[in-house]
Structures are given as structure tokens and as C-alpha cells.
Amino acid sequence: MKRIILFVLTNVLVVAVLGIVASLLGVNRYLTANGLNLGALLGFALIMGFGGAIISLLISKPMAKWTSGVRVINQPANADEAWIVNTVQKLAEKAGIGMPEVGIFEGDPNAFATGAFKNSALVAVSTGLLQGMTHEEIEAVIAHEVAHVANGDMVTMTLIQGVMNTFVVFLSRVIGYAVDSFLRKGDSESSGPGIGYMVTTLVLDIVLGFAAAMVVAWFSRHREFRADAGAAQLMGRRQPMINALARLGGMHPGELPKSVAAFGIAGGIGQLFSTHPPIEDRISALQNAQA
């Protein structure tokens, strides 16, 4: 439940901050004496929706380092770290992307990739993953994360989130205006948004925010199959990725912060809010593609 709440509220908070700033600057003047200006509202919703998503994308790498406690390997301290860096470099070259930063973080088995641009991403693996898998399985997991970067999944997720944010901001305010107009029907002396508008938009921002999170999570689940297939292609065969998923299915996957949860190798067990499909479905997809 904590992960679901973070998934929704982090994005809502970014949009809320932008809304406060817009109000202070007088940008959100879509409520006029003549009623609701839909064109102005749509422009406001686009700025709010994509602004929040883009800001989240741009700060994704430093936030991931901070929230996950990632230690970036600037200079390998031992043979294992050298192997990890060399593996990422080899796979990045195969994928045709720039060398990502490579990091390690303490925790149960997991890994993630993040960053605003393909050629300046971050790939990080947990100590639990390194201790619980063979080198071939770890390489498959890293290939999965590199495939996320090569597929441009961070940018795609930003666009999807931006569209969903825009939908939430626009629709909640249209409905809020309608409710407010109904409650204040016949009150010719009042002007500006009333309590009906404020309460309705606040409630709908939360309710529609959850609905939008479900859509984003659905897209994320479908994207995982593509990253699995990309890992198999980078490895030259599917069995290492199948083995890695099977191994991971017998482990207790670590929780990742919301900012990078969608880009990890394993997700939560939630249904509609889960960013990852079940391990069995991912293995089945690889096996069927192999046949």
C-alpha cells in the first residue's frame, strides 16, 4: 500500500506545486466573468500535466541516487565491480547507446535504470542481486535494464504520464466548474470560483489521479515484455533471461522508490497498480517467442 500511495502522490504533489506557482503568477486565468474558457484551461492543463512529468524525468537520476543510496562506480575497487562496469559497457555498445553511469545499492534483489536521456542514463544493481545470481543471470538483468534505456522507456513513460496528468487537470476543473455552477444557480452577485469548485477539483484530482496511475501502470507492464525480449536479443539467446526471471521468482524482490520502481527488474504484487507483470507470464512470453 505504501508503494501505491507514493506512486500516485509524488506526481500529484509535483502538479500541486506547479498549480500554486501558476496561481501566484496569475497564469491560470481560465475562469472568467463570462464562464469557463476551455482553451485557456486546456493550455493550463497541458503546462501543468507535462510540466510535472518533465520535471520528474529531469530529476529522476539524482533522485534515484539519493533515495536508493546508489554508490556510483567511478573507479572499480575490485574485480566484481570491474566486471559489472565492463558488462554494462559491452551491452550499451551492442544497444547503440552511450555508456550509462553504473552503481550499486544495498538491498534485496533488484535493479533499475533511469535518466532523462539515452546517452546519460544510470544502471544500478543491488547487493542482494549480485549475491544471489550467477554472472550470466546478472548479465541478463543488466541487459534488461539497458534495453529499457535503448527503447527510450523513460521518455515514453514521461509522455504517457504527461497525457494522464493533463487529462486529470482538465477534466477535474471542468466538472468542478459544472458542480459549482449548479450549487450557485441563481446567485448573480457571486463571482469567481466557489467552495463547490474547490472541493470538487480537489477530490477529483485525487480520484482521477488514481485512475491515471492505473493506466500508466498498465503501460509499464506491457513495456516489461519488450525489455525482456530486448535483453534476450542483446544476450544472443533467451535462456539467460528466463533463468534470471526464474531465479528472481524464488527470491524476495526489494522495494524501490516510486521514482524508479517502474524501471526495476521486479515490481510489487498489486493488480491494477503493479508496474510489472507476473514473473510466470514474462517467462512464458520468452519461451513462446523461442519456440
Side-chain angles (χ1 to χ4, degrees), residues 67 101 105 112 114 134 149 179 212 216 245 275 281:
T67 55
E101 285 189 283
F105 60 98
F112 67 84
T114 191
T134 66
V149 178
V179 171
V216 174
L245 289 170
T275 57
D281 292 352

Side-chain angles (χ1 to χ4, degrees), residues 220-241:
S220 177
R221 291 194 296 272
H222 282 265
R223 189 198 52 187
E224 286 304 307
F225 292 112
R226 187 181 175 198
D228 287 341
Q233 185 176 5
L234 289 172
M235 293 286 291
R237 55 197 185 98
R238 295 176 174 84
Q239 197 57 48
M241 191 68 231

Side-chain angles (χ1 to χ4, degrees), residues 117-132:
F117 308 101
K118 284 186 179 182
N119 295 324
S120 59
L122 167 70
V123 173
V125 296
S126 71
T127 53
L129 192 77
L130 297 175
Q131 294 165 3

Side-chain angles (χ1 to χ4, degrees), residues 7-153:
F7 184 85
V8 177
L9 290 187
T10 300
N11 188 69
V12 171
L13 287 174
V14 171
V15 173
V17 170
L18 289 177
I20 294 172
V21 173
S23 297
L24 293 175
L25 296 177
V27 175
N28 56 336
R29 294 174 180 174
Y30 47 83
L31 286 177
T32 67
N34 298 321
L36 185 65
N37 185 328
L38 290 177
L41 174 58
L42 180 58
F44 173 75
L46 285 167
I47 292 173
M48 291 280 288
F50 281 92
I54 290 172
I55 289 173
S56 297
L57 175 66
L58 292 176
I59 66 174
S60 62
K61 192 160 72 168
M63 282 296 292
K65 292 177 182 178
W66 177 58
T67 55
S68 298
V70 173
R71 176 176 61 83
V72 176
I73 304 175
N74 294 313
Q75 186 66 37
N78 52 54
D80 287 338
E81 291 186 3
W83 177 83
I84 295 170
V85 172
N86 290 336
T87 299
V88 173
Q89 184 174 22
K90 177 185 68 175
L91 293 169
E93 289 175 355
K94 283 186 179 180
I97 62 172
M99 176 63 180
E101 285 189 283
V102 182
I104 298 176
F105 60 98
E106 296 288 335
D108 292 328
N110 221 320
F112 67 84
T114 191
F117 308 101
K118 284 186 179 182
N119 295 324
S120 59
L122 167 70
V123 173
V125 296
S126 71
T127 53
L129 192 77
L130 297 175
Q131 294 165 3
M133 286 188 170
T134 66
H135 272 200
E136 185 179 63
E137 292 166 349
I138 296 169
E139 184 176 356
V141 169
I142 293 174
H144 173 97
E145 302 306 333
V146 169
H148 271 312
V149 178
N151 291 339
D153 284 340

